Amino acid sequence: MRSYGFLYFLLGLYSIMISWYYNHSIVWLIIHWIFWPIYLVYELLTGHLSHDMWRHIPLSYFK
């Protein structure tokens, strides 16, 4: 049961990274942090994470 909480945290952090990569706005970051499950599904459905962007976005923070 504890591992689901950690996964929930990591997916929330991932959606925040996506939000900052595309928007660079604190206001949008806070909104996407509050509604991150909806935002993450939206990003998946609109194709913003296709063509290997799902991997490129987190790696861009560590370069």
Side-chain angles (χ1 to χ4, degrees):
M1 192 71 152
R2 185 175 182 189
S3 62
Y4 291 121
F6 185 67
L7 180 63
Y8 190 82
F9 171 75
L10 285 179
L11 286 174
L13 184 63
Y14 183 65
S15 66
I16 289 171
M17 293 170 84
I18 294 168
S19 175
W20 186 257
Y21 183 82
Y22 284 119
N23 301 310
H24 293 285
S25 169
I26 297 293
V27 174
W28 280 114
L29 184 82
I30 292 169
I31 291 170
H32 292 149
W33 177 63
I34 293 170
F35 300 107
W36 76 260
I38 297 167
Y39 177 67
L40 194 56
V41 169
Y42 168 78
E43 290 293 323
L44 286 168
L45 292 176
T46 57
H48 287 151
L49 299 178
S50 62
H51 303 293
D52 214 27
M53 286 304 288
W54 65 272
R55 189 170 52 104
H56 173 73
I57 293 171
L59 291 177
S60 70
Y61 289 101
F62 300 106
K63 288 185 178 181

